[in-house]
Amino acid sequence: MNAAFQGIGASVRRTEDRRFVSGNGHYTDDMNRHGQLHAIIKRSDRPHARILGIDKTAALAAPGVVAIYTGEDMQADGVGGLPCGWGVKNKDGSPMAEPAHPVLAIGKARHVGDPIAVVIAATRQQARDAAELLVIDMAALPGIAHVRDAIAPGAATVHDDVPGNVCYDWHIGDKDATDAAFARAAHVVKLDLLNNRLVPNAMEPRCAIGEYDRSGGEYTLTTTSQNPHVIRLLMGAFVLHLPEHKLRVVAPDVGGGFGSKIYHYAEEAIVTWAAGKLGVPVKWTSDRSEAFMSDAHGRDHDSTAEMAVDAEGHFLALRVRTIANMGAYLSTFAAAVPTYLYATLLAGVYKTPAIYAEVKAVFTNTVPVDAYRGAGRPEAAFLLERLVDVVARETGIDRVELRRRNFIPADAYPYQTPVALEYDSGNHLKTLEGALKASDWAGFPARRAAARAKGKLRGIGMSTYLEACGIAPSKVAGALGARAGLYEVANIRIHPTGSVSVFTGTHSHGQGHETTFAQLVSDQLGIPFSQIEIVHGDTSKIPFGMGTYGSRSLAVGGSAMVKAADKIIAKGKKIAAFLMEASVEDIEFKDGKFSVAGTDRSKTIGEIAFCAYVPHNYPIEELEPGLDETAFYDPKNFTYPGGCHICEVEIDMDVGTTEVVRFTAVDDFGRIINPMIVAGQVQGGIAQGIGQALLENAVYDDQAQLVSGSYMDYTMPRAHDIPGVAISDEGTLCTHNPLGAKGCGEAGAIGSPPAVINAVVDALSEFGVRHIDMPASSQKIWSIIQSSRLPMAAE
Amino acid sequence: MYDFAYQKPSNVADAVKALGADPEAKALAGGQTFIPVLKQRLNKPTVIVDLSKLGLTGITVTATAVTIGGMTTHWDVAHSEAARKAIPGLVDLAGQIGDNQVRHRGTIGGSLANNDPSACYTSAVLALGATIKTDRRSIPADEFFAGMFTTVLEQGELITAVEFPIPEKSHYMKFRNPASRYAMVGVYVAKGPKGVRVAVTGAGQGGVFRHAAMEAALSANWSPDAVANIKTPPDDLNSDIHGSAEYRAHLIGVMAKRAVAAAG
Ligand SMILES: Cc1cc2nc3c(=O)[nH]c(=O)nc-3n(C[C@H](O)[C@H](O)[C@H](O)COP(=O)(O)OP(=O)(O)OC[C@H]3O[C@@H](n4cnc5c(N)ncnc54)[C@H](O)[C@@H]3O)c2cc1C
C-alpha cells in the first residue's frame, strides 16, 4: 500500500480531529443567537411527589425574567407529550402500557430530575436566580427504584393509569420445546444476574437552541442529537404539531452520544416552542449535574437464566426471565431495547435449538432507561457468556472446549436462530482461535503462578460474543413494532469542477464519518479524498435520514452511498458514451475514468462532471444536466458482528482491587474501511465495557434518590484503568449489503463485560465464587474473599 | 454562582482586614474546593478575597523543619527537591492529590482550612505534628482540627504557613475512592521528634484522627508486622456506596502496614 493511498482499507488520519483538538469545533453551546434568552429547567428533587401547586409570582418579578411555563401552560397551548418510537405487545397480543409523558410534569413528578417548569430570562444567571424563587408545593409519595420493588404487591404506582407498574410482559421463542428439552436434560445450570445501571456521560452535555423566524413562520432547533431528522419527525408530528417544511433541526458537532443523544428530549421541544411564543431565540445548556438526572440511563436488568445441557455438554435449551427497568417514562426507543435488541440475541454464537425468554418491563421512579452503547446486546452477551462459563464449571468441561462444541459451525450459515434472527455470516472458531493465540491463552498458568508469587490473584476470561447491527429492514422492524422506517439516505453531489459534497442522513458525534465516508466515496468514484466533503446533521441540507445508532452508519448509510455512487457512474457512462461516440454498454468505469472498452479513449469523472454542468456538448435530449444523485438504502437484514474477547486481571487480595492487565480482542466486522478508526472504536468500547464491569454504577437508594449523581460518586473509568488492547480482525463479509460491512461501534462494549467478569470469577475461583455482579468493585471482591476466608480459617 | 464582590489585596494585613470586616466574606486560594461550591450555589459570600498576591508561596527547608507557605500549590510541594530530601513521605503525598490540574491550583492552606474528611494533607499534619501558622498565632496540629470541614480557625484568620518538623522516617499510603480519587482511607505514619504517630484520613466520621493502638505498637516495634494484626473498630468510621465502615477498618490496617514498609 503506498503512502498516498486513501481508499478502502487505509488508516487515514481523521480529518475532523484538527478542528476538534484545536478548539475550532462548532458545538451547540458555542453558538449564541442575537437577542437570545436563557432557559433554566426547574426539576424535581423528589423521587415521587404530587404537585399541588406552582406559585410563579415571586419568580416572575425577579430581574430579567421574561416568562415561566409549566406543563399545564404548554398543554393548554396544545403541546403534546413525548412519543415512544416503538410499541411492544404483551404475551396476549395487547399493546404495552404507554402512559403520558408530558414535556413538563403535570400533576406528579416521577423521578429526581423530572422537569417541572422552565424559567426564561435575559441571562442564565437571572433564570437560575428566578428558578430558586419558584414555589412548588409538593406532597411526597413513596418512591420505587428497583425492578423487584416495582412489581411487589402493594407497591406505589408510578403512573396512576398503570396499576402494578408493568409496561409490558413480553415473550419470544418456543416455550413448549424449551420445557421439553429441560425435562430431558442431563444438567440444568441456573444463574441469577444483574446488569447494572449506567449513566452515559458523553463529554459534551446536552444543549438546545430554539429559534423562530417570524417572516416565514419557520422554526429552527439546534441540538445535540445523533439523528436530527428523527427529532424533526417526532417533535414536529407529535409534540409541537409543526409541518416538516417549517421546522429545521440542526445537530452540528456533537461531543459524544453513546445512545443518550438519540432520543427526543423535553428540552428540545421547550426551547423550540418558547422561541415561537416569545419571538426570540431561547437557549438551554445542561450542566453535568443535570445530565446525571436527565440524560436517559442505560441497562438495569434483573435476570434469571437457565441452560439445559446434555451429558456431552451440548446446549439443549435456554430459558431466560428478565425484568427490565424503563424508568419513570418511556424514552424514544426504550421499549425495543430489552426485547428486540436483547432477547433476539440470546442464541449468541451457539446452536442452542430451543430458547424461551420472558421480559417484563416496569416503571420506577428513576430516570428513563434507553439504549446505551450496545443497547440490549451487552445485556444478552453478558447473560449468555456468564452462563456458559458457569455451565463449563459445573459440567467439568473446559470453557474453551464447551464453546467449540456448541458453536454454530461456519458452514451452517445462513443460520436461522430460534429467536427470530437469521445470521448471514460468521466464523466463530476463527475468531476464537485467533484470540487464543494472540492472548497466549496456553501460557496463562505460568502468568498466574508468577502473579501468585507477588501475592496477586490472576484470572483469565473470555467471551465469544455476537451482536446485531445495522438496524434494520424497515418491513421487519415495522412488524416488530418500530414506528418508523430504518433505511438510510445519501446524496452525492459532484460539483462542476469535480469536487464532491456527500450528504448523509447518519450523524457523526465522534465516529470519524467525515474520514471514513470520504474514503468510501473516494474509492467508489476515484476522486481524491481531499476533494470530498461529508455533510451531515442538518435537515435543511440532507434529504432525509434516520441517524446514527446501533452501529448502522457504515452498513446502512455507507450502503446508501454506494447506491448513490452507482447512479452517478450510470449517468456518467451515458455522458461518456455520448462524448466518445461509443455505446453505453462499452463504457467501463475504473479509478475515476470512463473508458471505451478495448481502446485507449477515456474521460475523467471531472471532465464528465464539467460537461454535465456546462452541457454545451451533451445528450440534452435524453439526459438532464447535472451530476447529483440520491439513494435510499433499506437493509435486507441486520448485520452480525462478533468475535472473541479475552481479558486477564490481577486482584490484590489484601484490598480487593482488580487491575485489567491484558486484553485481547479479535473481532469480525466484515469489510473495514479505516482500520485505525475501527481500532479506536474497539478501544473506546472496551473502555466503556471495563467501566461497566469494574467501576460504573448508577445507584439509587430505596426511596429512589439518586446517590451517584456526580463524579464524586459515579466511577468513570480513567485512562489508567484501561490497558492497551491488542486488536485484530478475522472478518467474514456481510453477505447482504454492497460493502460487506458489519459495524464496529458497539462491539467493544458488548464483548468486554463478560470477558472481564469471567476473568474476575476465574481469579476468585479458589474462594468458591460462582458469580459476581457488576461492577466488581474492590469492596465487593474484598467481602467475597473475607467471607470465604472465615470458614476456611475455622477448618 | 451568586454575584459577589471581588478583592485581591497585596498584603496579609489588608486581607485579614477585608475578611474581618464582613462575616460573609470568604478567602479564595486555589479554588479547587471553593469554586465548585460557588458554582453549585451552596455558598453565598458577599466578598471574595483572593489570596494569590499575598506572597504566601514558597518552601523553606532548615536542618529541623520544612516550612511551606499557605498558598504553595500541591504541584510545587510535589516537585520540591529540598523538601523531598527532608520529608519524602510528605512530597509523595502532595503528588497524589487529585490530578495535574488540581495540583497546579490547589494549595496546602486551602486544603487544611477546608479540612475535608477525605483530604490527604490533614494526615501528614497530624502525624508529623506540624504547626499551623496564621496571621495571628501558631496552632499545634493536635489542636487544629475540629471535626469534618471544621477547624479552630476564626472568621478571617488566614493560614500563612505550615511548619513540619523533619522526622526520622515517615510515609503516606492512600487507598483512593474509586470515583473521586480522594482518600477513601489514607494513613500517614511517622517516627520523628514528636514521637511515633499514625494519622488516618478518609475513614473517620469526625475527619482525620490519630490511631492510638497503632502508635503504641509501632513505638514498641517499628515494623509492618507490628500493625498487621491491629483491628480498627468500625464504629466511628464512614460508610458509603464505595466502602462500608468494615471495609475501611480493614483498609486502615493494610495501608498502615504498607506505609510502615515503605517508610523503611
Ligand atoms: C478533582 C479534584 C480532586 C481532588 N482530589 C484530592 C485528593 O485526592 N486529596 C486531597 O487532599 N484533596 C483533593 N482535592 C482538593 C484539593 O486538594 C483542593 O486544593 C483543596 O481542598 C482546597 O485547596 P484550594 O487551594 O483549592 O482552596 P480553595 O478551594 O480556594 O478554598 C477552600 C477553603 O479554604 C479557605 N481557605 C483557602 N486558603 C486559606 C488560607 N490560606 N487560610 C484560611 N482559609 C483558607 C477558603 O476560604 C475556602 O473555604 C481535589 C479537588 C478536586 C477538584
Side-chain angles (χ1 to χ4, degrees), chain A residues 47 112 143-146 149 365-366 698-708, chain B residues 241:
Chain A
V112 172
I144 304 166
H146 306 113
D149 296 338
N365 297 111
T366 63
V699 180
Y700 280 94
D701 70 15
D702 288 336
Q703 283 78 49
Q705 266 296 345
L706 179 59
V707 181
S708 53
Chain B
I241 55 173

mmCIF file with all atom_site columns, all heavy atoms in Angstrom, chain A residues 47 112 143-146 149 365-366 698-708, chain B residues 241:
data_model
loop_
_atom_site.group_PDB
_atom_site.id
_atom_site.type_symbol
_atom_site.label_atom_id
_atom_site.label_alt_id
_atom_site.label_comp_id
_atom_site.label_asym_id
_atom_site.label_entity_id
_atom_site.label_seq_id
_atom_site.pdbx_PDB_ins_code
_atom_site.Cartn_x
_atom_site.Cartn_y
_atom_site.Cartn_z
_atom_site.occupancy
_atom_site.B_iso_or_equiv
_atom_site.pdbx_formal_charge
_atom_site.auth_seq_id
_atom_site.auth_comp_id
_atom_site.auth_asym_id
_atom_site.auth_atom_id
_atom_site.pdbx_PDB_model_num
ATOM 1   N N   . PRO A 1 47  ? -38.145 12.002 44.400 1.00 0.00 ? 47  PRO A N   1
ATOM 2   C CA  . PRO A 1 47  ? -38.324 10.866 43.503 1.00 0.00 ? 47  PRO A CA  1
ATOM 3   C C   . PRO A 1 47  ? -39.770 10.718 43.010 1.00 0.00 ? 47  PRO A C   1
ATOM 4   O O   . PRO A 1 47  ? -40.001 10.284 41.884 1.00 0.00 ? 47  PRO A O   1
ATOM 5   C CB  . PRO A 1 47  ? -37.943 9.658  44.356 1.00 0.00 ? 47  PRO A CB  1
ATOM 6   C CG  . PRO A 1 47  ? -37.186 10.205 45.519 1.00 0.00 ? 47  PRO A CG  1
ATOM 7   C CD  . PRO A 1 47  ? -37.683 11.595 45.739 1.00 0.00 ? 47  PRO A CD  1
ATOM 8   N N   . VAL A 1 112 ? -36.309 11.990 40.348 1.00 0.00 ? 112 VAL A N   1
ATOM 9   C CA  . VAL A 1 112 ? -35.413 13.100 40.641 1.00 0.00 ? 112 VAL A CA  1
ATOM 10  C C   . VAL A 1 112 ? -34.875 13.583 39.297 1.00 0.00 ? 112 VAL A C   1
ATOM 11  O O   . VAL A 1 112 ? -34.303 12.789 38.541 1.00 0.00 ? 112 VAL A O   1
ATOM 12  C CB  . VAL A 1 112 ? -34.258 12.646 41.560 1.00 0.00 ? 112 VAL A CB  1
ATOM 13  C CG1 . VAL A 1 112 ? -33.221 13.756 41.696 1.00 0.00 ? 112 VAL A CG1 1
ATOM 14  C CG2 . VAL A 1 112 ? -34.810 12.261 42.927 1.00 0.00 ? 112 VAL A CG2 1
ATOM 15  N N   . GLY A 1 143 ? -41.250 6.368  46.813 1.00 0.00 ? 143 GLY A N   1
ATOM 16  C CA  . GLY A 1 143 ? -40.513 6.193  45.567 1.00 0.00 ? 143 GLY A CA  1
ATOM 17  C C   . GLY A 1 143 ? -40.062 4.757  45.388 1.00 0.00 ? 143 GLY A C   1
ATOM 18  O O   . GLY A 1 143 ? -39.774 4.063  46.358 1.00 0.00 ? 143 GLY A O   1
ATOM 19  N N   . ILE A 1 144 ? -40.002 4.337  44.124 1.00 0.00 ? 144 ILE A N   1
ATOM 20  C CA  . ILE A 1 144 ? -39.537 2.980  43.806 1.00 0.00 ? 144 ILE A CA  1
ATOM 21  C C   . ILE A 1 144 ? -38.341 3.098  42.877 1.00 0.00 ? 144 ILE A C   1
ATOM 22  O O   . ILE A 1 144 ? -38.419 3.795  41.863 1.00 0.00 ? 144 ILE A O   1
ATOM 23  C CB  . ILE A 1 144 ? -40.606 2.188  43.032 1.00 0.00 ? 144 ILE A CB  1
ATOM 24  C CG1 . ILE A 1 144 ? -41.907 2.143  43.798 1.00 0.00 ? 144 ILE A CG1 1
ATOM 25  C CG2 . ILE A 1 144 ? -40.112 0.784  42.712 1.00 0.00 ? 144 ILE A CG2 1
ATOM 26  C CD1 . ILE A 1 144 ? -43.057 1.683  42.930 1.00 0.00 ? 144 ILE A CD1 1
ATOM 27  N N   . ALA A 1 145 ? -37.275 2.421  43.187 1.00 0.00 ? 145 ALA A N   1
ATOM 28  C CA  . ALA A 1 145 ? -36.095 2.493  42.323 1.00 0.00 ? 145 ALA A CA  1
ATOM 29  C C   . ALA A 1 145 ? -35.827 1.177  41.613 1.00 0.00 ? 145 ALA A C   1
ATOM 30  O O   . ALA A 1 145 ? -35.370 1.159  40.486 1.00 0.00 ? 145 ALA A O   1
ATOM 31  C CB  . ALA A 1 145 ? -34.872 2.882  43.140 1.00 0.00 ? 145 ALA A CB  1
ATOM 32  N N   . HIS A 1 146 ? -36.084 0.079  42.302 1.00 0.00 ? 146 HIS A N   1
ATOM 33  C CA  . HIS A 1 146 ? -35.598 -1.209 41.812 1.00 0.00 ? 146 HIS A CA  1
ATOM 34  C C   . HIS A 1 146 ? -36.744 -2.049 41.259 1.00 0.00 ? 146 HIS A C   1
ATOM 35  O O   . HIS A 1 146 ? -37.860 -1.998 41.768 1.00 0.00 ? 146 HIS A O   1
ATOM 36  C CB  . HIS A 1 146 ? -34.853 -1.926 42.944 1.00 0.00 ? 146 HIS A CB  1
ATOM 37  C CG  . HIS A 1 146 ? -33.758 -1.052 43.516 1.00 0.00 ? 146 HIS A CG  1
ATOM 38  N ND1 . HIS A 1 146 ? -33.803 -0.549 44.787 1.00 0.00 ? 146 HIS A ND1 1
ATOM 39  C CD2 . HIS A 1 146 ? -32.650 -0.532 42.945 1.00 0.00 ? 146 HIS A CD2 1
ATOM 40  C CE1 . HIS A 1 146 ? -32.735 0.228  44.993 1.00 0.00 ? 146 HIS A CE1 1
ATOM 41  N NE2 . HIS A 1 146 ? -32.030 0.254  43.890 1.00 0.00 ? 146 HIS A NE2 1
ATOM 42  N N   . ASP A 1 149 ? -38.967 -4.153 43.457 1.00 0.00 ? 149 ASP A N   1
ATOM 43  C CA  . ASP A 1 149 ? -39.868 -3.358 44.297 1.00 0.00 ? 149 ASP A CA  1
ATOM 44  C C   . ASP A 1 149 ? -41.075 -2.877 43.494 1.00 0.00 ? 149 ASP A C   1
ATOM 45  O O   . ASP A 1 149 ? -42.175 -2.746 44.021 1.00 0.00 ? 149 ASP A O   1
ATOM 46  C CB  . ASP A 1 149 ? -39.126 -2.146 44.878 1.00 0.00 ? 149 ASP A CB  1
ATOM 47  C CG  . ASP A 1 149 ? -37.996 -2.567 45.813 1.00 0.00 ? 149 ASP A CG  1
ATOM 48  O OD1 . ASP A 1 149 ? -38.054 -3.705 46.319 1.00 0.00 ? 149 ASP A OD1 1
ATOM 49  O OD2 . ASP A 1 149 ? -37.067 -1.762 46.014 1.00 0.00 ? 149 ASP A OD2 1
ATOM 50  N N   . ASN A 1 365 ? -39.421 5.023  39.763 1.00 0.00 ? 365 ASN A N   1
ATOM 51  C CA  . ASN A 1 365 ? -39.192 6.470  39.922 1.00 0.00 ? 365 ASN A CA  1
ATOM 52  C C   . ASN A 1 365 ? -37.724 6.806  39.669 1.00 0.00 ? 365 ASN A C   1
ATOM 53  O O   . ASN A 1 365 ? -37.025 7.332  40.532 1.00 0.00 ? 365 ASN A O   1
ATOM 54  C CB  . ASN A 1 365 ? -39.622 6.921  41.310 1.00 0.00 ? 365 ASN A CB  1
ATOM 55  C CG  . ASN A 1 365 ? -41.114 6.721  41.512 1.00 0.00 ? 365 ASN A CG  1
ATOM 56  O OD1 . ASN A 1 365 ? -41.542 5.882  42.295 1.00 0.00 ? 365 ASN A OD1 1
ATOM 57  N ND2 . ASN A 1 365 ? -41.899 7.466  40.777 1.00 0.00 ? 365 ASN A ND2 1
ATOM 58  N N   . THR A 1 366 ? -37.283 6.461  38.467 1.00 0.00 ? 366 THR A N   1
ATOM 59  C CA  . THR A 1 366 ? -35.886 6.720  38.106 1.00 0.00 ? 366 THR A CA  1
ATOM 60  C C   . THR A 1 366 ? -35.853 7.368  36.725 1.00 0.00 ? 366 THR A C   1
ATOM 61  O O   . THR A 1 366 ? -36.863 7.371  36.007 1.00 0.00 ? 366 THR A O   1
ATOM 62  C CB  . THR A 1 366 ? -35.066 5.411  38.080 1.00 0.00 ? 366 THR A CB  1
ATOM 63  O OG1 . THR A 1 366 ? -35.609 4.554  37.060 1.00 0.00 ? 366 THR A OG1 1
ATOM 64  C CG2 . THR A 1 366 ? -35.108 4.684  39.421 1.00 0.00 ? 366 THR A CG2 1
ATOM 65  N N   . ALA A 1 698 ? -24.867 3.392  38.510 1.00 0.00 ? 698 ALA A N   1
ATOM 66  C CA  . ALA A 1 698 ? -25.803 4.449  38.897 1.00 0.00 ? 698 ALA A CA  1
ATOM 67  C C   . ALA A 1 698 ? -26.612 3.899  40.062 1.00 0.00 ? 698 ALA A C   1
ATOM 68  O O   . ALA A 1 698 ? -27.389 2.966  39.894 1.00 0.00 ? 698 ALA A O   1
ATOM 69  C CB  . ALA A 1 698 ? -26.711 4.813  37.736 1.00 0.00 ? 698 ALA A CB  1
ATOM 70  N N   . VAL A 1 699 ? -26.400 4.460  41.229 1.00 0.00 ? 699 VAL A N   1
ATOM 71  C CA  . VAL A 1 699 ? -27.007 3.897  42.440 1.00 0.00 ? 699 VAL A CA  1
ATOM 72  C C   . VAL A 1 699 ? -28.184 4.761  42.886 1.00 0.00 ? 699 VAL A C   1
ATOM 73  O O   . VAL A 1 699 ? -28.050 5.974  43.049 1.00 0.00 ? 699 VAL A O   1
ATOM 74  C CB  . VAL A 1 699 ? -25.969 3.835  43.582 1.00 0.00 ? 699 VAL A CB  1
ATOM 75  C CG1 . VAL A 1 699 ? -26.588 3.247  44.836 1.00 0.00 ? 699 VAL A CG1 1
ATOM 76  C CG2 . VAL A 1 699 ? -24.749 3.028  43.156 1.00 0.00 ? 699 VAL A CG2 1
ATOM 77  N N   . TYR A 1 700 ? -29.321 4.121  43.059 1.00 0.00 ? 700 TYR A N   1
ATOM 78  C CA  . TYR A 1 700 ? -30.474 4.758  43.694 1.00 0.00 ? 700 TYR A CA  1
ATOM 79  C C   . TYR A 1 700 ? -30.663 4.125  45.056 1.00 0.00 ? 700 TYR A C   1
ATOM 80  O O   . TYR A 1 700 ? -30.497 2.905  45.204 1.00 0.00 ? 700 TYR A O   1
ATOM 81  C CB  . TYR A 1 700 ? -31.741 4.518  42.873 1.00 0.00 ? 700 TYR A CB  1
ATOM 82  C CG  . TYR A 1 700 ? -31.886 5.432  41.677 1.00 0.00 ? 700 TYR A CG  1
ATOM 83  C CD1 . TYR A 1 700 ? -31.437 5.048  40.419 1.00 0.00 ? 700 TYR A CD1 1
ATOM 84  C CD2 . TYR A 1 700 ? -32.496 6.679  41.802 1.00 0.00 ? 700 TYR A CD2 1
ATOM 85  C CE1 . TYR A 1 700 ? -31.583 5.888  39.320 1.00 0.00 ? 700 TYR A CE1 1
ATOM 86  C CE2 . TYR A 1 700 ? -32.644 7.524  40.710 1.00 0.00 ? 700 TYR A CE2 1
ATOM 87  C CZ  . TYR A 1 700 ? -32.188 7.122  39.473 1.00 0.00 ? 700 TYR A CZ  1
ATOM 88  O OH  . TYR A 1 700 ? -32.332 7.949  38.399 1.00 0.00 ? 700 TYR A OH  1
ATOM 89  N N   . ASP A 1 701 ? -31.036 4.923  46.030 1.00 0.00 ? 701 ASP A N   1
ATOM 90  C CA  . ASP A 1 701 ? -31.354 4.300  47.315 1.00 0.00 ? 701 ASP A CA  1
ATOM 91  C C   . ASP A 1 701 ? -32.792 3.773  47.266 1.00 0.00 ? 701 ASP A C   1
ATOM 92  O O   . ASP A 1 701 ? -33.486 3.906  46.254 1.00 0.00 ? 701 ASP A O   1
ATOM 93  C CB  . ASP A 1 701 ? -31.088 5.260  48.486 1.00 0.00 ? 701 ASP A CB  1
ATOM 94  C CG  . ASP A 1 701 ? -32.064 6.426  48.549 1.00 0.00 ? 701 ASP A CG  1
ATOM 95  O OD1 . ASP A 1 701 ? -33.126 6.379  47.874 1.00 0.00 ? 701 ASP A OD1 1
ATOM 96  O OD2 . ASP A 1 701 ? -31.773 7.384  49.282 1.00 0.00 ? 701 ASP A OD2 1
ATOM 97  N N   . ASP A 1 702 ? -33.232 3.176  48.349 1.00 0.00 ? 702 ASP A N   1
ATOM 98  C CA  . ASP A 1 702 ? -34.535 2.512  48.320 1.00 0.00 ? 702 ASP A CA  1
ATOM 99  C C   . ASP A 1 702 ? -35.705 3.480  48.182 1.00 0.00 ? 702 ASP A C   1
ATOM 100 O O   . ASP A 1 702 ? -36.809 3.082  47.836 1.00 0.00 ? 702 ASP A O   1
ATOM 101 C CB  . ASP A 1 702 ? -34.709 1.622  49.558 1.00 0.00 ? 702 ASP A CB  1
ATOM 102 C CG  . ASP A 1 702 ? -33.832 0.382  49.454 1.00 0.00 ? 702 ASP A CG  1
ATOM 103 O OD1 . ASP A 1 702 ? -33.490 0.000  48.313 1.00 0.00 ? 702 ASP A OD1 1
ATOM 104 O OD2 . ASP A 1 702 ? -33.470 -0.174 50.509 1.00 0.00 ? 702 ASP A OD2 1
ATOM 105 N N   . GLN A 1 703 ? -35.455 4.763  48.453 1.00 0.00 ? 703 GLN A N   1
ATOM 106 C CA  . GLN A 1 703 ? -36.509 5.749  48.225 1.00 0.00 ? 703 GLN A CA  1
ATOM 107 C C   . GLN A 1 703 ? -36.411 6.370  46.832 1.00 0.00 ? 703 GLN A C   1
ATOM 108 O O   . GLN A 1 703 ? -37.115 7.305  46.505 1.00 0.00 ? 703 GLN A O   1
ATOM 109 C CB  . GLN A 1 703 ? -36.431 6.871  49.273 1.00 0.00 ? 703 GLN A CB  1
ATOM 110 C CG  . GLN A 1 703 ? -36.996 6.476  50.633 1.00 0.00 ? 703 GLN A CG  1
ATOM 111 C CD  . GLN A 1 703 ? -36.018 5.615  51.420 1.00 0.00 ? 703 GLN A CD  1
ATOM 112 O OE1 . GLN A 1 703 ? -34.850 5.961  51.539 1.00 0.00 ? 703 GLN A OE1 1
ATOM 113 N NE2 . GLN A 1 703 ? -36.509 4.491  51.934 1.00 0.00 ? 703 GLN A NE2 1
ATOM 114 N N   . ALA A 1 704 ? -35.463 5.874  46.029 1.00 0.00 ? 704 ALA A N   1
ATOM 115 C CA  . ALA A 1 704 ? -35.265 6.343  44.655 1.00 0.00 ? 704 ALA A CA  1
ATOM 116 C C   . ALA A 1 704 ? -34.569 7.696  44.566 1.00 0.00 ? 704 ALA A C   1
ATOM 117 O O   . ALA A 1 704 ? -34.707 8.412  43.585 1.00 0.00 ? 704 ALA A O   1
ATOM 118 C CB  . ALA A 1 704 ? -36.573 6.349  43.855 1.00 0.00 ? 704 ALA A CB  1
ATOM 119 N N   . GLN A 1 705 ? -33.814 8.051  45.600 1.00 0.00 ? 705 GLN A N   1
ATOM 120 C CA  . GLN A 1 705 ? -32.909 9.194  45.458 1.00 0.00 ? 705 GLN A CA  1
ATOM 121 C C   . GLN A 1 705 ? -31.679 8.715  44.683 1.00 0.00 ? 705 GLN A C   1
ATOM 122 O O   . GLN A 1 705 ? -31.181 7.623  44.931 1.00 0.00 ? 705 GLN A O   1
ATOM 123 C CB  . GLN A 1 705 ? -32.473 9.727  46.834 1.00 0.00 ? 705 GLN A CB  1
ATOM 124 C CG  . GLN A 1 705 ? -33.317 10.872 47.364 1.00 0.00 ? 705 GLN A CG  1
ATOM 125 C CD  . GLN A 1 705 ? -33.250 12.149 46.539 1.00 0.00 ? 705 GLN A CD  1
ATOM 126 O OE1 . GLN A 1 705 ? -32.378 12.333 45.709 1.00 0.00 ? 705 GLN A OE1 1
ATOM 127 N NE2 . GLN A 1 705 ? -34.214 13.029 46.770 1.00 0.00 ? 705 GLN A NE2 1
ATOM 128 N N   . LEU A 1 706 ? -31.201 9.543  43.764 1.00 0.00 ? 706 LEU A N   1
ATOM 129 C CA  . LEU A 1 706 ? -30.001 9.195  43.005 1.00 0.00 ? 706 LEU A CA  1
ATOM 130 C C   . LEU A 1 706 ? -28.780 9.477  43.872 1.00 0.00 ? 706 LEU A C   1
ATOM 131 O O   . LEU A 1 706 ? -28.486 10.620 44.203 1.00 0.00 ? 706 LEU A O   1
ATOM 132 C CB  . LEU A 1 706 ? -29.951 10.018 41.714 1.00 0.00 ? 706 LEU A CB  1
ATOM 133 C CG  . LEU A 1 706 ? -28.748 9.799  40.794 1.00 0.00 ? 706 LEU A CG  1
ATOM 134 C CD1 . LEU A 1 706 ? -28.640 8.347  40.346 1.00 0.00 ? 706 LEU A CD1 1
ATOM 135 C CD2 . LEU A 1 706 ? -28.856 10.703 39.569 1.00 0.00 ? 706 LEU A CD2 1
ATOM 136 N N   . VAL A 1 707 ? -28.087 8.415  44.271 1.00 0.00 ? 707 VAL A N   1
ATOM 137 C CA  . VAL A 1 707 ? -26.950 8.572  45.178 1.00 0.00 ? 707 VAL A CA  1
ATOM 138 C C   . VAL A 1 707 ? -25.677 8.928  44.406 1.00 0.00 ? 707 VAL A C   1
ATOM 139 O O   . VAL A 1 707 ? -24.862 9.717  44.851 1.00 0.00 ? 707 VAL A O   1
ATOM 140 C CB  . VAL A 1 707 ? -26.719 7.269  45.985 1.00 0.00 ? 707 VAL A CB  1
ATOM 141 C CG1 . VAL A 1 707 ? -25.561 7.433  46.947 1.00 0.00 ? 707 VAL A CG1 1
ATOM 142 C CG2 . VAL A 1 707 ? -27.997 6.897  46.748 1.00 0.00 ? 707 VAL A CG2 1
ATOM 143 N N   . SER A 1 708 ? -25.529 8.340  43.233 1.00 0.00 ? 708 SER A N   1
ATOM 144 C CA  . SER A 1 708 ? -24.316 8.609  42.458 1.00 0.00 ? 708 SER A CA  1
ATOM 145 C C   . SER A 1 708 ? -24.626 9.665  41.393 1.00 0.00 ? 708 SER A C   1
ATOM 146 O O   . SER A 1 708 ? -24.656 9.378  40.215 1.00 0.00 ? 708 SER A O   1
ATOM 147 C CB  . SER A 1 708 ? -23.811 7.320  41.810 1.00 0.00 ? 708 SER A CB  1
ATOM 148 O OG  . SER A 1 708 ? -24.860 6.726  41.078 1.00 0.00 ? 708 SER A OG  1
ATOM 149 N N   . ILE B 2 241 ? -21.333 4.253  49.446 1.00 0.00 ? 241 ILE B N   1
ATOM 150 C CA  . ILE B 2 241 ? -21.524 3.214  48.427 1.00 0.00 ? 241 ILE B CA  1
ATOM 151 C C   . ILE B 2 241 ? -20.205 2.566  48.019 1.00 0.00 ? 241 ILE B C   1
ATOM 152 O O   . ILE B 2 241 ? -20.199 1.474  47.474 1.00 0.00 ? 241 ILE B O   1
ATOM 153 C CB  . ILE B 2 241 ? -22.273 3.737  47.164 1.00 0.00 ? 241 ILE B CB  1
ATOM 154 C CG1 . ILE B 2 241 ? -21.569 4.954  46.554 1.00 0.00 ? 241 ILE B CG1 1
ATOM 155 C CG2 . ILE B 2 241 ? -23.713 4.053  47.486 1.00 0.00 ? 241 ILE B CG2 1
ATOM 156 C CD1 . ILE B 2 241 ? -22.180 5.396  45.216 1.00 0.00 ? 241 ILE B CD1 1
#
